[in-house]
Amino acid sequence: MDEKHAVDLFGALSQETRLKIVRMLVVSGPDGMAAGAVAEAVGVSPSNVSFHLKELERVGMVTATRESRSIIYTAAYDHLADLIRFLMEDCCAGRPEICLPAVSVAECCVPAT
């Protein structure tokens, strides 16, 4: 991951509603959530959540899949793991064992495809 992409991801996550959405989608797992359920869960209007989901999709933090009349949003675990690895790649003055737990968490959270 390059710095520009990391800045885009952090920029998208720096807004409170979008951060809530990503955290909720991470918890929901690979089944994801319908856009309406996301709106209800975070307490915003459907048009407002749609705006935030589009921004998260644009930077690659979520993926959208149409199922019948619903759009199901899922956290992009691979991008989240890449972001954690990006933060940790030059970790602790050459002592990567200090950051190993965080990197391990990033690796274990990427669902098998």
Side-chain angles (χ1 to χ4, degrees), residues 6 12 15-16 28 34 37-38 62 70-72 75 83 86 88 92 101 106 111:
Q15 200 283 335
E16 183 179 358
S28 73
V38 172
V62 302
S70 297
I71 299 177
I72 305 299
L83 187 58
F86 172 82
M88 301 298 187
C92 303

Side-chain angles (χ1 to χ4, degrees), residues 3-63:
E3 284 189 15
K4 177 168 181 356
H5 190 80
V7 167
D8 288 344
L9 295 175
F10 281 120
L13 292 174
S14 70
Q15 200 283 335
E16 183 179 358
T17 301
R18 289 194 290 266
L19 181 59
K20 283 180 185 178
I21 290 169
V22 169
R23 293 187 73 201
M24 185 175 42
L25 290 175
V26 165
V27 171
S28 73
D31 292 336
M33 295 177 70
V38 172
E40 188 174 316
V42 296
V44 299
S45 69
S47 61
N48 187 287
V49 85
S50 177
F51 168 79
H52 291 299
L53 287 166
K54 290 294 179 202
E55 177 62 14
L56 291 168
E57 187 178 17
R58 181 189 70 78
V59 299
M61 293 299 287
V62 302
T63 59

